Amino acid sequence: MERTYIMVKPDGVQRGLVGEIVKRFEQKGFKLAALRLMTPTEEHLKQHYKDLAEKPFFPGLIKYMTSGPVVGMVWVGKGAVTTGRKMLGATNPADSAPGTIRGDFCIEVGMNICHGSDTVENAEAEIALWFPEGVATYEKSEDAWLYEKRN
Ligand SMILES: Nc1ncnc2c1ncn2[C@@H]1O[C@H](COP(=O)(O)OP(=O)(O)OP(=O)(O)O)[C@@H](O)[C@H]1O
């Protein structure tokens, strides 16, 4: 089953939007497989955002992302990566449609509340980076969601 890594960034945590974001993913029908409040290290963030290392905004991005705790989550379900990105909205909130998380709750690209994996491959790499101990997974049975520990 497809999985995505969603992270509520420091501004989202500080503004009390964790519950709102969790609610939207739950209501959409995705299943929560992992959730953790954590204060990321600079090293972890440099790995997470390694493709952006040469961008002029990179130092500011690292400063922003280490300004307070974040909430990392793994959501599971059909199309979790693509649909998750649609639910977040465009990177720049000015381009995010109302009804998306960024479209509804922010105005600055440098403080855009949440992260969502952009490909299935990157989602798996990000899940391994942020939850190295492994996360729960779901298997659909006829009448229940069953839980088992992922290796
Ligand atoms: N021009 C910019 N100025 C300041 N910050 C920026 C700018 N562009 C991107 N960022 C920050 O860097 C993050 C990563 O940029 P990226 O281009 O990977 O967008 P994204 O994939 O939509 O975002 P994310 O990876 O956080 O989900 C953005 O979410 C934003 O916080």
Side-chain angles (χ1 to χ4, degrees):
M1 188 72 79
E2 191 168 307
R3 312 188 297 173
T4 191
Y5 178 68
I6 301 293
M7 179 161 56
V8 186
K9 297 179 176 181
D11 52 328
V13 174
Q14 285 158 20
R15 291 177 55 197
L17 293 171
V18 175
E20 174 68 31
I21 293 168
V22 168
K23 185 187 82 174
R24 289 182 181 218
F25 276 82
E26 280 188 323
Q27 287 184 342
K28 181 68 178 168
F30 293 120
K31 296 290 172 187
L32 183 63
L35 182 148
R36 179 189 294 141
L37 180 81
M38 50 194 161
T39 303
T41 63
E42 213 172 298
E43 288 65 36
H44 239 100
L45 286 164
K46 283 182 174 163
Q47 179 65 24
H48 177 82
Y49 281 128
K50 61 181 184 308
D51 295 343
L52 302 177
E54 303 305 321
K55 298 283 185 190
F57 58 81
F58 188 71
L61 176 62
I62 298 298
K63 192 173 174 194
Y64 158 53
M65 290 297 298
T66 52
S67 65
V70 301
V71 171
M73 303 180 275
V74 178
W75 290 94
V76 183
K78 187 176 179 182
V81 169
T82 304
T83 302
R85 294 277 289 189
K86 284 184 187 158
M87 291 167 66
L88 262 53
T91 305
N92 189 337
D95 302 323
S96 300
T100 63
I101 292 165
R102 289 166 176 162
D104 286 349
F105 296 114
C106 59
I107 52 177
E108 295 282 352
V109 66
M111 293 182 78
N112 61 359
I113 295 200
C114 48
H115 159 81
S117 308
D118 59 354
T119 63
V120 170
E121 189 186 2
N122 283 345
E124 289 302 318
E126 290 169 7
I127 291 167
L129 176 67
W130 293 99
F131 291 97
E133 73 280 19
V135 302
T137 190
Y138 292 91
E139 299 295 338
K140 190 81 187 281
S141 75
E142 277 184 17
D143 59 356
W145 287 93
L146 300 177
Y147 221 26
E148 74 183 32
K149 186 77 181 164
R150 191 182 177 90
N151 291 321

